[in-house]
Amino acid sequence: MTIDGTVTRYDSRWNMSSSWVGQPSPRLDALWDELTPPIPRIRLTHNEMLWAGYDIHDALLLDDGDHTAILNVHHQLHCLNAIRKMTYIDYYTALGQHESHALAKNHVDHCIEMLRQSLICYADISVMPYIKDGEGHVRPDFDVAMQCRDYDRIVKWNWENIDRRPLPAPVSDE
């Protein structure tokens, strides 16, 4: 799969308007729900698991000898959405859409750590030049030009390679 994208400029200036942030609403939640559907699994062969850097002995082996996995980008977006919802926990608790406080805290801590690792791993080296803003303040220009992967193509490939096999039932201790 080729995932090369293009140089993209995202408007990330301070106090900018974005459809993805702000007070929660049904419209905002619908955007996030579309971006973070139930995470589709993909089927991987033994060799594909080795290529991905996994010790096959730790990976779940299904009856047909293949493995199943998810793309990390979907988990990362799920985590970002969980952090977004934690920011407005009163709203989501009132809707009955939030975990208990202890579980939510553990979930968000897990997500923060996963995103921290990913940011360090992929270390975006796009430059942010300093500018003088309209009020004469010197600050970084958050309107950054980035070399992006083609996310839509990644999602399309993921759905074309979905693994519809059921996962095995948990092993009982009895």
Side-chain angles (χ1 to χ4, degrees):
M1 170 180 65
T2 303
I3 56 173
D4 297 333
T6 59
V7 173
T8 304
R9 289 188 79 92
Y10 288 106
D11 186 357
S12 300
R13 293 169 291 166
W14 209 257
N15 294 324
M16 65 21 175
S17 176
S18 168
S19 300
W20 296 96
V21 297
Q23 291 293 320
S25 68
R27 183 198 53 76
L28 180 58
D29 287 341
L31 278 174
W32 279 96
D33 288 346
E34 185 178 330
L35 187 64
T36 59
I39 300 174
R41 293 181 294 116
I42 55 172
R43 174 185 227 134
L44 295 173
T45 66
H46 176 82
N47 286 338
E48 289 167 331
M49 287 292 285
L50 291 174
W51 177 85
Y54 281 91
D55 181 345
I56 297 302
H57 302 293
D58 293 336
L60 177 67
L61 185 64
L62 298 177
D63 291 341
D64 62 5
D66 281 348
H67 304 275
T68 191
I70 61 172
L71 296 180
N72 197 25
V73 65
H74 297 301
H75 179 248
Q76 292 164 343
L77 287 168
H78 157 83
C79 277
L80 186 58
N81 194 29
I83 294 167
R84 178 188 73 85
K85 287 183 173 183
M86 187 68 160
T87 303
Y88 298 99
I89 192 167
D90 292 339
Y91 175 85
Y92 291 102
T93 300
L95 291 178
Q97 295 181 3
H98 220 287
E99 306 151 315
S100 70
H101 182 70
L103 182 59
K105 183 185 177 310
N106 287 338
H107 187 182
V108 168
D109 282 350
H110 154 80
C111 285
I112 289 170
E113 179 58 12
M114 290 289 296
L115 292 171
R116 182 195 68 81
Q117 291 171 11
S118 184
L119 289 168
I120 290 171
C121 180
Y122 291 103
D124 184 352
I125 58 171
S126 303
V127 296
M128 296 175 66
Y130 276 81
I131 60 170
K132 226 180 229 191
D133 67 19
E135 298 174 5
H137 300 109
V138 175
R139 61 168 181 78
D141 183 1
F142 296 111
D143 186 14
V144 179
M146 294 183 271
Q147 178 67 41
C148 298
R149 291 180 173 165
D150 188 337
Y151 180 73
D152 291 336
R153 194 169 185 178
I154 293 168
V155 170
K156 182 177 185 280
W157 178 89
N158 195 160
W159 283 104
E160 288 171 350
N161 292 278
I162 195 164
D163 185 355
R164 298 188 190 282
R165 298 171 298 170
L167 291 173
V171 177
S172 174
D173 290 336
E174 297 176 20

